[in-house]
């Protein structure tokens, strides 16, 4: 985890720092797969939020997709059920999305 001093010096991951350099997000693999599955299923952020409500907000889903945060276990499993996707695919990229 980055200390407060590291954040000041280097900026937050995935964000533009004061020196204008965009720092890479921690892990975008999960987020990219989540966004891919959401798109393939035809859900907008708002529609998936409605299906997940009240446990997961649109803002949280967006942050998952951008690799800024990871969902808690129960929210991860709820996302998998809502999107009808194998948890192993979403987490590790193993398998395929139909």
């Amino acid at each position: 985890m980055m200390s407060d001093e590291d954040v000041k010096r280097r900026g937050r991951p995935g964000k533009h720092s004061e020196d204008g350099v965009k720092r890479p997000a921690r892990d975008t693999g999960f987020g990219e797969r989540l966004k891919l599955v959401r798109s393939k299923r035809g859900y907008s952020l708002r529609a998936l939020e409605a299906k997940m409500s009240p446990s997961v907000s649109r803002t949280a889903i967006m942050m998952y997709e951008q690799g800024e945060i990871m969902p808690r276990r129960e929210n991860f499993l709820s996302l998998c059920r809502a999107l009808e996707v194998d948890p192993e695919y979403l987490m590790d990229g193993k398998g395929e999305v139909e």
Side-chain angles (χ1 to χ4, degrees):
M1 181 164 222
M2 293 172 62
S3 70
D4 290 341
E5 192 57 38
D6 288 338
V7 170
K8 288 178 191 172
R9 188 172 60 251
R10 297 187 336 210
R12 294 220 179 267
K15 303 285 184 185
H16 286 283
S17 61
E18 290 178 13
D19 62 2
V21 176
K22 183 169 171 122
R23 306 289 182 219
R26 283 168 258 180
D27 176 23
T28 57
F30 166 78
E32 289 171 359
R33 288 187 295 275
L34 175 59
K35 189 171 185 174
L36 173 72
V37 172
R38 180 176 60 80
S39 296
K40 283 189 172 204
R41 301 289 189 256
Y43 287 107
S44 65
L45 284 169
R46 209 174 282 270
L48 185 55
E49 175 189 43
K51 190 167 186 168
M52 300 293 302
S53 185
S55 63
V56 180
S57 70
R58 178 180 59 217
T59 302
I61 296 166
M62 184 178 64
M63 292 174 79
Y64 300 154
E65 290 181 353
Q66 293 173 352
E68 292 181 24
I69 61 172
M70 291 294 289
R72 290 180 296 175
R73 183 177 192 278
E74 60 270 14
N75 290 340
F76 170 74
L77 294 174
S78 293
L79 279 168
C80 292
R81 283 191 295 273
L83 293 170
E84 299 175 7
V85 65
D86 185 341
E88 192 171 13
Y89 171 77
L90 210 51
M91 188 53 68
D92 299 323
K94 296 178 181 171
E96 295 183 23
V97 177
E98 297 176 14

